[in-house]
Amino acid sequence: MSWSDPRAALVPEAHVLAGRTTVHRKEFAREAFPVWPDLTSAESAYWTGTDLADYEWRPGPIVQDGAQFVGSIRLGQAVGFIAAAHLFAVPRVGISVIPSVVGLSPSELCIAWAANVTSPDIARFVRDASREFASAAVSAAGLG
């Protein structure tokens, strides 16, 4: 079972792209991005939006959690990308959301389990995760 969700851009309110509804990933060339420690090169490419094409970027502040990630953007130290389904959790004070970024890979969630597993706990988890994701997707799309 898998889901795909577009990613949006988060920029400081005063950023030159703030207020736009659509941008291309190349418009963030040479921008600073928050840096998560101990990432593989593939993970780093995902967080900087360089997994589909090689764009220049600069390392911004090192972040350890979502609050530091968002805080670095709010303080004007970086820009970042986030799955649209998670936008509800981002305080918008000092931040502008650009909902559509062309040339950016989506966020993907996959749930897998062994075919021979018949655990009611796993079945309940998959059912509940499916329901929660569907609800979040409806809310993110502004339909709920």
Side-chain angles (χ1 to χ4, degrees), residues 56-143:
E56 290 183 52
W57 66 279
R58 294 180 294 115
I62 295 173
V63 297
Q64 302 289 332
D65 57 36
Q68 291 178 356
F69 177 83
V70 172
S72 70
I73 296 165
R74 179 174 293 112
L75 292 172
Q77 300 170 333
V79 299
F81 304 120
I82 185 171
H86 295 282
L87 287 172
F88 74 92
V90 176
R92 303 297 171 91
V93 177
I95 289 183
S96 181
V97 174
I98 303 170
S100 177
V101 183
V102 177
L104 188 64
S105 65
S107 172
E108 296 181 7
L109 172 67
C110 299
I111 300 175
W113 59 95
N116 63 345
V117 172
T118 59
S119 163
D121 291 332
I122 291 177
R124 191 171 23 263
F125 170 78
V126 171
R127 183 184 63 244
D128 292 347
S130 298
R131 187 176 327 141
E132 286 299 315
F133 181 81
S135 175
V138 167
S139 293
L143 302 174

